[in-house]
Amino acid sequence: PLAIHLNGTNVGEYGRLVASGDVSLSSGSLLPSPGFNPQPGQVFTIVEKTSPGPIANAIFGPEGTITDLNGMPFRISYVGGDGNDVTLTVVTPVPIVLGGVQRFGTQFVFSYSADVGLRYAVEHSATLSNWTTIWTDIANVNPMTFTDTAATNRMNFYRVRRLPNP
């Protein structure tokens, strides 16, 4: 298996495989050190393919998969670099902004800004304390729309927070 150690942000401080010809990866792991804390937008080329053609097998998940390393989201690409390299890019999450809540009978509907591929939790409370998670999912559009179909109070408070991706 391919083990990529991430100890720092400079070339030479993180693992990098340089290969040519047919490259097929069967398994791998990303191993950040406790002090690995890159800046948003930084790109790490962890597999550099020097010959034409794609890398076989998406060992870290499909193209665009978001993975959390030390609590920071990274987007994985198999078409990074010059088009056939494996790269990790630190995602800069958009601020979560909730739109106005609309009430339709016992349903409450609102939207919130989200990064596609990141995981979010919607929580509600009737008192601004004792928050309860009522939904978690990975955003597939921005903005996301949420409908609380089980609202039992005439007044509900909502908040949204980003969760680490599994």
Side-chain angles (χ1 to χ4, degrees), residues 116-147:
V116 172
L118 296 186
R119 194 165 153 244
Y120 293 86
V122 174
E123 300 173 334
H124 79 134
S125 171
T127 61
L128 289 176
S129 61
N130 300 322
W131 290 92
T132 302
T133 299
I134 56 175
W135 179 85
T136 62
D137 204 359
I138 295 175
N140 58 2
V141 295
N142 181 27
M144 292 286 287
T145 299
F146 177 77
T147 302

Short mmCIF file of all heavy atoms in Angstrom, two decimals, residues 116-147:
data_model
loop_
_atom_site.label_atom_id
_atom_site.label_comp_id
_atom_site.label_asym_id
_atom_site.label_seq_id
_atom_site.Cartn_x
_atom_site.Cartn_y
_atom_site.Cartn_z
N VAL A 116 -20.14 22.16 -1.68
CA VAL A 116 -20.45 20.84 -2.22
C VAL A 116 -19.34 19.88 -1.81
O VAL A 116 -18.15 20.17 -1.94
CB VAL A 116 -20.60 20.90 -3.75
CG1 VAL A 116 -20.73 19.50 -4.35
CG2 VAL A 116 -21.80 21.76 -4.12
N GLY A 117 -19.73 18.75 -1.27
CA GLY A 117 -18.77 17.73 -0.85
C GLY A 117 -18.45 17.75 0.63
O GLY A 117 -17.87 16.80 1.15
N LEU A 118 -18.83 18.84 1.33
CA LEU A 118 -18.59 18.88 2.77
C LEU A 118 -19.86 18.45 3.51
O LEU A 118 -20.96 18.54 3.00
CB LEU A 118 -18.17 20.28 3.22
CG LEU A 118 -16.83 20.79 2.67
CD1 LEU A 118 -16.46 22.12 3.30
CD2 LEU A 118 -15.72 19.78 2.87
N ARG A 119 -19.67 17.98 4.73
CA ARG A 119 -20.76 17.41 5.52
C ARG A 119 -21.26 18.43 6.53
O ARG A 119 -20.46 19.11 7.18
CB ARG A 119 -20.21 16.16 6.24
CG ARG A 119 -21.25 15.28 6.83
CD ARG A 119 -20.61 13.92 7.18
NE ARG A 119 -21.35 13.33 8.26
CZ ARG A 119 -20.86 13.08 9.46
NH1 ARG A 119 -19.61 13.32 9.73
NH2 ARG A 119 -21.62 12.56 10.38
N TYR A 120 -22.58 18.51 6.68
CA TYR A 120 -23.21 19.51 7.55
C TYR A 120 -24.24 18.85 8.46
O TYR A 120 -24.79 17.80 8.14
CB TYR A 120 -23.90 20.60 6.72
CG TYR A 120 -22.93 21.45 5.94
CD1 TYR A 120 -22.49 21.05 4.69
CD2 TYR A 120 -22.42 22.62 6.49
CE1 TYR A 120 -21.57 21.82 3.98
CE2 TYR A 120 -21.51 23.39 5.79
CZ TYR A 120 -21.09 22.99 4.54
OH TYR A 120 -20.18 23.74 3.85
N ALA A 121 -24.49 19.51 9.58
CA ALA A 121 -25.56 19.10 10.51
C ALA A 121 -26.50 20.27 10.69
O ALA A 121 -26.06 21.41 10.86
CB ALA A 121 -24.98 18.68 11.85
N VAL A 122 -27.80 19.98 10.67
CA VAL A 122 -28.82 20.98 11.00
C VAL A 122 -29.32 20.62 12.39
O VAL A 122 -29.64 19.46 12.68
CB VAL A 122 -29.98 20.95 9.98
CG1 VAL A 122 -31.11 21.88 10.43
CG2 VAL A 122 -29.49 21.33 8.59
N GLU A 123 -29.37 21.64 13.25
CA GLU A 123 -29.82 21.44 14.63
C GLU A 123 -30.96 22.41 14.92
O GLU A 123 -31.03 23.48 14.30
CB GLU A 123 -28.67 21.69 15.60
CG GLU A 123 -27.49 20.76 15.36
CD GLU A 123 -26.27 21.10 16.21
OE1 GLU A 123 -26.12 22.28 16.61
OE2 GLU A 123 -25.48 20.18 16.45
N HIS A 124 -31.85 22.03 15.84
CA HIS A 124 -32.91 22.95 16.22
C HIS A 124 -33.09 22.96 17.73
O HIS A 124 -32.66 22.05 18.44
CB HIS A 124 -34.22 22.63 15.49
CG HIS A 124 -34.99 21.48 16.06
ND1 HIS A 124 -36.33 21.53 16.27
CD2 HIS A 124 -34.61 20.26 16.47
CE1 HIS A 124 -36.74 20.39 16.77
NE2 HIS A 124 -35.72 19.59 16.89
N SER A 125 -33.73 24.04 18.18
CA SER A 125 -34.01 24.22 19.60
C SER A 125 -35.23 25.13 19.71
O SER A 125 -35.43 26.00 18.88
CB SER A 125 -32.81 24.87 20.30
OG SER A 125 -33.15 25.24 21.62
N ALA A 126 -36.00 24.93 20.75
CA ALA A 126 -37.12 25.83 21.01
C ALA A 126 -36.73 26.94 21.97
O ALA A 126 -37.45 27.91 22.14
CB ALA A 126 -38.30 25.04 21.57
N THR A 127 -35.53 26.80 22.61
CA THR A 127 -35.16 27.72 23.68
C THR A 127 -33.77 28.34 23.52
O THR A 127 -33.31 29.03 24.42
CB THR A 127 -35.18 26.98 25.02
OG1 THR A 127 -34.22 25.93 24.96
CG2 THR A 127 -36.55 26.42 25.33
N LEU A 128 -33.09 28.06 22.41
CA LEU A 128 -31.71 28.47 22.18
C LEU A 128 -30.74 27.74 23.11
O LEU A 128 -29.61 28.17 23.30
CB LEU A 128 -31.52 29.98 22.30
CG LEU A 128 -32.12 30.79 21.16
CD1 LEU A 128 -31.96 32.28 21.42
CD2 LEU A 128 -31.48 30.43 19.83
N SER A 129 -31.20 26.68 23.71
CA SER A 129 -30.34 25.77 24.48
C SER A 129 -30.85 24.37 24.18
O SER A 129 -31.90 24.20 23.54
CB SER A 129 -30.37 26.08 25.96
OG SER A 129 -31.69 25.94 26.46
N ASN A 130 -30.14 23.37 24.62
CA ASN A 130 -30.54 21.99 24.34
C ASN A 130 -30.76 21.75 22.85
O ASN A 130 -31.84 21.38 22.40
CB ASN A 130 -31.81 21.62 25.12
CG ASN A 130 -31.62 21.74 26.61
OD1 ASN A 130 -30.55 21.42 27.13
ND2 ASN A 130 -32.63 22.23 27.29
N TRP A 131 -29.72 22.00 22.07
CA TRP A 131 -29.79 21.82 20.62
C TRP A 131 -29.85 20.33 20.28
O TRP A 131 -29.16 19.51 20.88
CB TRP A 131 -28.58 22.47 19.95
CG TRP A 131 -28.63 23.96 20.02
CD1 TRP A 131 -28.09 24.74 20.98
CD2 TRP A 131 -29.29 24.83 19.11
NE1 TRP A 131 -28.36 26.06 20.73
CE2 TRP A 131 -29.10 26.15 19.59
CE3 TRP A 131 -30.03 24.63 17.96
CZ2 TRP A 131 -29.62 27.25 18.93
CZ3 TRP A 131 -30.54 25.74 17.30
CH2 TRP A 131 -30.34 27.03 17.79
N THR A 132 -30.66 19.99 19.30
CA THR A 132 -30.83 18.61 18.84
C THR A 132 -30.49 18.54 17.36
O THR A 132 -31.02 19.33 16.56
CB THR A 132 -32.29 18.15 19.04
OG1 THR A 132 -32.62 18.28 20.41
CG2 THR A 132 -32.47 16.70 18.59
N THR A 133 -29.63 17.60 17.00
CA THR A 133 -29.32 17.39 15.58
C THR A 133 -30.50 16.68 14.94
O THR A 133 -30.93 15.62 15.42
CB THR A 133 -28.04 16.55 15.42
OG1 THR A 133 -26.95 17.25 16.02
CG2 THR A 133 -27.73 16.29 13.95
N ILE A 134 -31.04 17.27 13.88
CA ILE A 134 -32.20 16.67 13.21
C ILE A 134 -31.88 16.20 11.80
O ILE A 134 -32.73 15.57 11.17
CB ILE A 134 -33.40 17.65 13.19
CG1 ILE A 134 -33.03 18.98 12.54
CG2 ILE A 134 -33.91 17.87 14.61
CD1 ILE A 134 -34.19 19.94 12.38
N TRP A 135 -30.66 16.47 11.33
CA TRP A 135 -30.31 16.06 9.97
C TRP A 135 -28.81 16.22 9.78
O TRP A 135 -28.22 17.18 10.25
CB TRP A 135 -31.07 16.93 8.99
CG TRP A 135 -30.82 16.67 7.55
CD1 TRP A 135 -31.43 15.74 6.75
CD2 TRP A 135 -29.91 17.35 6.69
NE1 TRP A 135 -30.95 15.81 5.47
CE2 TRP A 135 -30.01 16.79 5.41
CE3 TRP A 135 -29.01 18.38 6.89
CZ2 TRP A 135 -29.25 17.23 4.34
CZ3 TRP A 135 -28.25 18.81 5.83
CH2 TRP A 135 -28.38 18.24 4.56
N THR A 136 -28.18 15.26 9.10
CA THR A 136 -26.80 15.39 8.67
C THR A 136 -26.70 14.85 7.25
O THR A 136 -27.38 13.87 6.91
CB THR A 136 -25.80 14.62 9.57
OG1 THR A 136 -26.11 13.23 9.52
CG2 THR A 136 -25.83 15.11 11.00
N ASP A 137 -25.87 15.49 6.45
CA ASP A 137 -25.68 15.02 5.08
C ASP A 137 -24.50 15.77 4.45
O ASP A 137 -24.03 16.77 4.99
CB ASP A 137 -26.93 15.24 4.23
CG ASP A 137 -27.01 14.30 3.03
OD1 ASP A 137 -26.09 13.48 2.84
OD2 ASP A 137 -28.00 14.38 2.30
N ILE A 138 -24.09 15.28 3.31
CA ILE A 138 -23.05 15.92 2.52
C ILE A 138 -23.73 16.83 1.51
O ILE A 138 -24.66 16.40 0.79
CB ILE A 138 -22.16 14.87 1.83
CG1 ILE A 138 -21.40 14.08 2.90
CG2 ILE A 138 -21.21 15.54 0.84
CD1 ILE A 138 -20.59 12.93 2.37
N ALA A 139 -23.30 18.08 1.44
CA ALA A 139 -23.92 19.05 0.53
C ALA A 139 -23.67 18.64 -0.91
O ALA A 139 -22.57 18.28 -1.29
CB ALA A 139 -23.35 20.45 0.79
N ASN A 140 -24.75 18.71 -1.72
CA ASN A 140 -24.62 18.41 -3.14
C ASN A 140 -24.91 19.61 -4.02
O ASN A 140 -24.74 19.55 -5.24
CB ASN A 140 -25.49 17.22 -3.54
CG ASN A 140 -26.96 17.45 -3.23
OD1 ASN A 140 -27.34 18.52 -2.75
ND2 ASN A 140 -27.78 16.46 -3.49
N VAL A 141 -25.35 20.71 -3.43
CA VAL A 141 -25.57 21.98 -4.14
C VAL A 141 -25.28 23.12 -3.17
O VAL A 141 -25.18 22.92 -1.97
CB VAL A 141 -27.03 22.14 -4.66
CG1 VAL A 141 -27.35 21.11 -5.73
CG2 VAL A 141 -28.03 22.08 -3.53
N ASN A 142 -25.15 24.32 -3.69
CA ASN A 142 -25.01 25.52 -2.88
C ASN A 142 -25.93 26.59 -3.47
O ASN A 142 -25.77 26.92 -4.63
CB ASN A 142 -23.57 26.02 -2.86
CG ASN A 142 -23.40 27.26 -2.00
OD1 ASN A 142 -24.16 27.46 -1.06
ND2 ASN A 142 -22.45 28.09 -2.33
N PRO A 143 -26.87 27.09 -2.69
CA PRO A 143 -27.16 26.79 -1.30
C PRO A 143 -27.98 25.50 -1.16
O PRO A 143 -28.62 25.05 -2.10
CB PRO A 143 -27.98 27.99 -0.84
CG PRO A 143 -28.69 28.45 -2.08
CD PRO A 143 -27.73 28.16 -3.21
N MET A 144 -27.92 24.93 0.05
CA MET A 144 -28.74 23.78 0.40
C MET A 144 -30.08 24.29 0.93
O MET A 144 -30.13 25.36 1.54
CB MET A 144 -28.07 22.94 1.48
CG MET A 144 -26.81 22.23 1.05
SD MET A 144 -27.12 20.81 -0.01
CE MET A 144 -27.79 19.65 1.18
N THR A 145 -31.14 23.53 0.70
CA THR A 145 -32.45 23.85 1.26
C THR A 145 -32.84 22.74 2.22
O THR A 145 -32.67 21.57 1.90
CB THR A 145 -33.51 23.99 0.15
OG1 THR A 145 -33.12 25.03 -0.73
CG2 THR A 145 -34.88 24.30 0.73
N PHE A 146 -33.33 23.13 3.38
CA PHE A 146 -33.73 22.16 4.39
C PHE A 146 -35.19 22.38 4.75
O PHE A 146 -35.63 23.52 4.93
CB PHE A 146 -32.87 22.28 5.65
CG PHE A 146 -33.31 21.35 6.73
CD1 PHE A 146 -32.99 20.01 6.66
CD2 PHE A 146 -34.09 21.81 7.78
CE1 PHE A 146 -33.42 19.13 7.65
CE2 PHE A 146 -34.52 20.93 8.77
CZ PHE A 146 -34.19 19.59 8.69
N THR A 147 -35.94 21.29 4.86
CA THR A 147 -37.33 21.35 5.29
C THR A 147 -37.49 20.52 6.55
O THR A 147 -37.22 19.31 6.53
CB THR A 147 -38.27 20.81 4.19
OG1 THR A 147 -38.09 21.57 3.00
CG2 THR A 147 -39.74 20.89 4.63
#
